[in-house]
Amino acid sequence: MSSCRQVGRPLAQRLLRQDAAPLRPFTTSSPASAQVYKVVRERPEGEVDPVELDPNTAVHPWAEKDLWKAGTPPIGSRRRRYAIRTSQNIPFEQLPYQAFQEARKLLAEDREEKIAAIKAEVEKMRKIREADASLFKGGEKKREMKLQSLRQHIEWLKIQADINDPCIKRRFEDGLGDMNKPIYRYLAQRRWEAYERKIIEQRISQFHITPDILPTFSPQYDVQLFFRRAKVPAGKLLPSDITEVPPRLRIQPFDAGDRLVTIVILDPDVPNVAADGFTKRCHYLAANIPLSPTNPALALSRLPDADHVAVPYLPAFAQKGSPYHRLAIFVLDQPDGRPLDVAKLRSLYAANKTPEHNFSLKSLRDKFGLRPAGFTLFRAAWDETTADVMRRAGVPGADVELRPTRVRSLKPPKPLRGWEAKRQGPKYRHLWKYTKRIRGLSNAKGWIIKKRGDGGGRRG
Amino acid sequence: MRLLRLQLPIWAAVSGLLRPTVSLTPLTIAADCGPRARGIEVNNALVSGRRYASVKSQGQYKLKPKRTIPKKLGAKRTGDQYVIPGNILYKQRGTLWWPGENCIMGRDHTIHAMAAGYVKYYRDPARHPKRKYIGVVFNKDDVLPYAPHIERKRRLGMTAHPIVERPPQPEVSASGIPTTVVRAGIAAPGSSRKGPARVLRLRDDYSYREDNWRVGRLVKLAGVTKTKGGRGPRSSRRARFRSRRWRAEQELEARRRSSAAMEETEELDEWTKAAQRRAEEERQKKIQAQKDKKKKQAEQQAKARQAAIRRSAAKKEKASAQGR
């Protein structure tokens, strides 16, 4: 909104709702206290006005917090909610702007056209379906192709019928869109592809998720990650105590229908000192999780263990000195929505936690015919809390530190030369106080701490 | 004029072609003045052998200049040679070669190895159609580039050691002075919020100093970056220095105040008091002496000035008397 319109807006609102609140005359005096927007930080005593706790009209921080907790977050900006509360509350469709109403008429006409087109297409489909396959040049296959293309066209028409409707756009932007309807799924997908999908694709390439975990992968679902109420951007380095509890996920598919998914959390950076390399470890594996576009929320800690969880959550940890660990979270579609055998998964993957056992998502995918569809990740590194987390999880190795292996130079050692080298021996004992001990490490400056226990090698 | 000069060679060529005929007709030469006549002159110069070298001859281009320092560029490790991290594989001007698998490029485009292994020189059309790469592989038999979509080959390059807990530093050192001193943080200029406490540690030379890593952390708190520093995003260099001076003064002032407070609280013996009094008297005396000196100088200067004025007045008078 341009600044001049912003300036003009309160005035316009005033003019619109003259009977709601009388228009204040232009004076130089300060406005009445009731008209000034005032943030109340403290919860008022006693009975609370229901207007305060309506998601459309809640403005106070405490009320917003309550609504978030209740699962009905406040709608739109605080400024808008305040405007709704103090205005006459005309329904959006009836806003008295001439251009708006004329445009709505045009859009309604367009929608009628689209619906007529859909009806025509459906009729066409019916005719094709009823016709004999021999009438088509390519036979049954050609007929199926025709039907498929018609179906696609109908889907496109359905979206085109609603795509320009301001009411739909408004509802979508308020987060009130019904994900059962194709138009809202379409809008959500478009929004996801505009930014978040790009981010996640970048994470996949920059953290080498492909080809380290999967040869190729293109995400289909929007997956958001939450640890202890806080949303975590993909790839964030998290403290170990935060990631000790299983995360919450918000998995948003953009195609209609219910499905069953498998969720895998794996760490592809488990150091294997014996083999001088890295292996992969499964931190979590749960299958047969129902998912649909309308209920995307999924708390891993609340999944019933017996039905779904094959590998219970193992907190993310990184041994001291090891490079950061990527914890990749994959959502895999199960084939045709058929359930997997959790007992079999358990027998295959539950026990294998040592570095020698290499978990492979590729093999899991191929064994059960899964399709990777969603992805997010976080990272773990050693911090002050990791040792405790490992102890609580019963993981050994908290007392072991990884240090880089010294790579010796390829050059042969050279004999020492020079005045000092010549005078290192006992023949020149009388000069020892002037010569540096160049053979081996010199501790002339006291830089080498000989005994760690004794005052840290410091004087004083 | 410029156009003429540009046309000179053309004229030369044309006149060269025409010469056998044109030279026979002096009439035309006389008629066409200027350019053509000059062209003939140039052509004659060419014929007479006055030629300025603009192209080297006889393999001169192959000869290298002999008075320069050799840059010693080129490959330092051949293909399949074993290298360790940090080894220089190729020195070059510009990017004749690019860093591939397990290699990095230095500031002067030098290619270094980043892993222990065997050097491979290769091309990777999938990555770039024209670039040549130098890579290091762990197995000598491997061929670069690796097939796409296969897992990266990685080495850990680490060994496991038990973690040794450092014993905590004693609070009081062997000589009985504390090993750490915590100084309360002071408020930043223009804000009432106090900064973090400063932890000073006892050093080898019995001085108390902040750890360097703690000093480094302060930068983050001050909001100082490469471009903006000191007192906010748009402060100039002058403002930064002003604030630095201000802070230094503030610190000095605080130190002075604290020492004064300490002195007040301390019980002084009479000798110290006497010494202090004497020092103070001497300081006052010194100040007084300086003042006196300045005063004397000023007086002398004033006298001299007066004398000069008087002299000049007398001179003028004398001159005017003579004039009469």
Side-chain angles (χ1 to χ4, degrees):
Chain A
M1 188 184 281
S2 70
S3 57
C4 57
R5 275 167 69 199
Q6 268 178 348
V7 166
R9 208 163 83 127
L11 182 62
Q13 282 175 350
R14 271 300 146 64
L15 288 167
L16 282 173
R17 51 178 172 82
Q18 272 186 359
D19 54 10
L23 189 68
R24 196 164 60 81
F26 293 99
T27 58
T28 51
S29 65
S30 61
S33 58
Q35 289 169 355
V36 176
Y37 178 86
K38 199 179 164 211
V39 175
V40 180
R41 295 208 177 275
E42 296 80 39
R43 191 187 300 272
E45 298 288 321
E47 196 68 20
V48 178
D49 188 5
V51 174
E52 299 284 7
L53 286 170
D54 183 0
N56 277 308
T57 51
V59 285
H60 301 307
W62 58 266
E64 282 173 8
K65 210 177 267 177
D66 278 12
L67 286 171
W68 276 106
K69 271 187 189 166
T72 50
I75 294 161
S77 66
R78 191 180 289 167
R79 180 198 175 116
R80 197 184 93 170
R81 272 174 265 136
Y82 188 74
I84 287 173
R85 169 188 260 226
T86 52
S87 73
Q88 207 184 16
N89 240 340
I90 306 169
F92 180 66
E93 295 80 14
Q94 295 167 18
L95 281 179
Y97 299 113
Q98 193 181 359
F100 179 71
Q101 292 302 341
E102 291 300 320
R104 284 196 70 233
K105 270 179 214 162
L106 272 179
L107 291 173
E109 274 170 34
D110 182 58
R111 187 165 199 274
E112 288 306 315
E113 272 173 36
K114 292 281 157 43
I115 286 166
I118 289 172
K119 275 179 188 157
E121 294 296 316
V122 168
E123 183 62 21
K124 217 192 271 177
M125 268 179 84
R126 192 185 58 80
K127 273 181 189 163
I128 290 173
R129 215 176 283 131
E130 282 169 3
D132 192 23
S134 59
L135 287 174
F136 294 92
K137 211 176 180 183
E140 183 59 37
K141 198 180 163 195
K142 185 75 182 177
R143 188 168 75 164
E144 271 309 307
M145 272 172 68
K146 281 207 160 181
L147 283 173
Q148 184 56 33
S149 81
L150 275 175
R151 232 170 270 139
Q152 265 184 10
H153 184 57
I154 289 171
E155 285 304 312
W156 183 77
L157 282 173
K158 275 184 197 168
I159 287 160
Q160 290 305 308
D162 291 330
I163 189 97
N164 294 317
D165 191 342
C167 301
I168 285 191
K169 193 170 155 59
R170 177 172 182 262
R171 224 166 295 145
F172 173 70
E173 282 175 8
D174 286 351
L176 301 172
D178 179 6
M179 279 300 190
N180 278 325
K181 292 181 176 153
I183 179 67
Y184 292 113
R185 285 201 306 271
Y186 171 81
L187 288 173
Q189 184 171 18
R190 204 168 63 172
R191 186 170 63 183
W192 177 62
E193 279 171 359
Y195 186 69
E196 277 152 4
R197 187 203 161 105
K198 285 175 185 166
I199 295 280
I200 209 77
E201 278 183 340
Q202 193 185 36
R203 298 292 172 272
I204 286 168
S205 77
Q206 77 187 148
F207 286 121
H208 305 287
I209 300 302
T210 58
D212 276 3
I213 299 175
L214 287 174
T216 52
F217 174 56
S218 160
Q220 308 294 319
Y221 297 166
D222 179 14
V223 183
Q224 289 170 5
L225 177 69
F226 299 84
F227 271 107
R228 302 180 192 261
R229 304 190 65 84
K231 188 174 167 182
V232 176
K236 195 179 182 190
L237 208 56
L238 291 173
S240 303
D241 54 346
I242 296 287
T243 58
E244 197 178 358
V245 292
R248 274 188 307 124
L249 296 177
R250 200 180 167 283
I251 309 165
Q252 180 65 66
F254 301 110
D255 46 346
D258 293 344
R259 71 213 70 197
L260 294 179
V261 293
T262 300
I263 289 177
V264 180
I265 303 180
L266 80 155
D267 176 359
D269 301 315
V270 182
N272 188 355
V273 178
D276 190 20
F278 297 90
T279 56
K280 300 189 199 79
R281 177 172 51 210
C282 181
H283 276 247
Y284 184 81
L285 175 58
N288 306 337
I289 299 163
L291 183 70
S292 71
T294 44
N295 57 342
L298 173 68
L300 297 188
S301 56
R302 288 192 189 167
L303 275 181
D305 279 10
D307 307 339
H308 299 291
V309 181
V311 179
Y313 184 72
L314 174 71
F317 62 88
Q319 270 177 303
K320 190 175 182 185
S322 75
Y324 68 72
H325 290 224
R326 300 163 286 170
L327 271 289
I329 301 172
F330 275 94
V331 179
L332 301 108
D333 261 349
Q334 287 173 208
D336 311 324
R338 272 185 281 113
L340 298 188
D341 185 2
V342 178
K344 194 184 171 193
L345 283 175
R346 224 170 264 152
S347 68
L348 278 172
Y349 299 111
N352 305 339
K353 287 282 161 86
T354 53
E356 287 72 41
H357 289 104
N358 201 354
F359 174 78
S360 170
L361 187 70
K362 223 163 70 171
S363 119
L364 175 78
R365 179 196 66 178
D366 296 341
K367 259 181 207 155
F368 296 95
L370 304 169
R371 186 183 66 100
F375 171 79
T376 186
L377 90 158
F378 63 94
R379 286 183 291 159
W382 172 269
D383 53 40
E384 300 87 63
T385 57
T386 310
D388 288 340
V389 168
M390 287 171 82
R391 191 171 44 73
R392 283 197 286 269
V395 182
D399 55 344
V400 171
E401 166 184 29
L402 296 177
R403 287 202 218 129
T405 318
R406 173 81 189 258
V407 185
R408 296 280 163 189
S409 169
L410 295 173
K411 287 178 184 166
K414 271 184 189 168
L416 297 166
R417 297 194 305 166
W419 186 89
E420 269 184 329
K422 195 179 167 189
R423 284 157 183 82
Q424 291 289 309
K427 191 180 159 190
Y428 295 96
R429 184 169 285 137
H430 62 285
L431 287 177
W432 275 4
K433 57 182 171 184
Y434 304 117
T435 54
K436 281 179 189 151
R437 304 277 167 273
I438 60 172
R439 240 182 267 282
L441 283 169
S442 159
N443 200 13
K445 298 211 167 179
W447 285 344
I448 299 167
I449 298 162
K450 285 276 171 60
K451 259 172 116 181
R452 283 190 158 175
D454 195 26
R458 285 177 184 81
R459 271 182 253 140
Chain B
M1 182 58 208
R2 204 176 292 160
L3 190 68
L4 280 179
R5 203 173 280 167
L6 281 174
Q7 283 170 342
L8 260 179
I10 302 164
W11 276 114
V14 171
S15 61
L17 284 174
L18 296 175
R19 203 151 58 125
T21 52
V22 170
S23 60
L24 292 175
T25 53
L27 260 177
T28 49
I29 292 170
D32 290 349
C33 58
R36 185 175 283 191
R38 206 178 295 153
I40 289 163
E41 266 171 34
V42 168
N43 210 31
N44 285 342
L46 276 175
V47 167
S48 63
R50 264 193 287 130
R51 200 175 72 170
Y52 304 108
S54 58
V55 171
K56 288 185 182 180
S57 63
Q58 305 270 338
Q60 288 286 315
Y61 285 110
K62 288 275 176 193
L63 294 175
K64 294 268 155 61
K66 283 175 185 161
R67 289 182 194 169
T68 56
I69 305 162
K71 302 295 185 291
K72 304 187 181 177
L73 303 177
K76 303 297 168 207
R77 292 287 184 274
T78 62
D80 288 354
Q81 201 172 346
Y82 184 76
V83 290
I84 60 167
N87 276 9
I88 290 176
L89 308 185
Y90 203 97
K91 272 186 167 285
Q92 55 188 344
R93 292 282 169 270
T95 49
L96 296 172
W97 291 89
W98 290 80
E101 203 75 18
N102 293 319
C103 284
I104 56 161
M105 189 150 69
R107 203 187 57 169
D108 61 348
H109 304 112
T110 300
I111 311 283
H112 298 261
M114 269 294 104
Y118 301 90
V119 180
K120 300 280 174 185
Y121 289 77
Y122 65 104
R123 277 179 188 274
D124 189 354
R127 212 159 150 197
H128 197 279
K130 288 179 182 171
R131 283 178 189 170
K132 298 180 289 181
Y133 292 95
I134 303 175
V136 170
V137 292
F138 301 127
N139 299 321
K140 205 170 187 176
D141 306 328
D142 283 359
V143 177
L144 287 177
Y146 290 127
H149 312 318
I150 62 161
E151 204 181 325
R152 285 184 305 160
K153 289 181 178 20
R154 294 187 289 158
R155 285 263 169 92
L156 178 64
M158 285 179 160
T159 39
H161 302 268
I163 297 175
V164 182
E165 285 295 325
R166 284 212 161 196
Q169 219 184 3
E171 275 187 26
V172 178
S173 74
S175 45
I177 51 174
T179 46
T180 37
V181 172
V182 180
R183 202 163 60 183
I186 51 164
S191 82
S192 58
R193 224 176 58 188
K194 280 192 172 176
R198 314 289 285 270
V199 180
L200 311 178
R201 297 234 326 268
L202 181 65
R203 303 288 153 171
D204 276 359
D205 54 355
Y206 296 100
S207 69
Y208 285 100
R209 195 159 51 74
E210 218 170 354
D211 286 325
N212 282 344
W213 63 271
R214 280 188 210 273
V215 174
R217 279 203 177 168
L218 292 177
V219 177
K220 213 189 227 171
L221 290 164
V224 179
T225 60
K226 213 171 183 181
T227 47
K228 54 188 179 174
R231 300 165 122 189
R234 249 167 269 134
S235 77
S236 61
R237 189 184 134 86
R238 176 191 271 187
R240 278 206 302 281
F241 275 98
R242 195 192 297 138
S243 97
R244 203 167 86 175
R245 278 198 303 277
W246 186 88
R247 252 177 289 142
E249 277 165 22
Q250 208 74 352
E251 220 160 82
L252 262 178
E253 184 60 32
R255 220 174 288 161
R256 221 174 283 145
R257 241 181 285 139
S258 69
S259 67
M262 271 176 72
E263 271 170 21
E264 270 179 23
T265 54
E266 269 179 23
E267 281 287 314
L268 296 176
D269 57 328
E270 54 188 290
W271 293 103
T272 320
K273 275 180 189 165
Q276 275 183 355
R277 217 181 306 126
R278 209 158 45 236
E280 181 60 22
E281 273 169 15
E282 261 172 32
R283 220 180 101 236
Q284 291 297 338
K285 219 185 271 174
K286 217 176 185 179
I287 292 165
Q288 195 56 44
Q290 269 179 355
K291 270 187 191 167
D292 288 348
K293 202 177 167 191
K294 265 189 188 167
K295 210 172 166 185
K296 212 173 173 187
Q297 271 180 355
E299 273 173 8
Q300 274 179 356
Q301 276 175 0
K303 255 183 201 168
R305 226 176 291 130
Q306 287 288 333
I309 289 164
R310 245 178 279 130
R311 267 204 300 280
S312 67
K315 225 182 225 173
K316 258 186 206 163
E317 230 168 70
K318 208 175 176 184
S320 63
Q322 276 175 358
R324 262 181 238 155

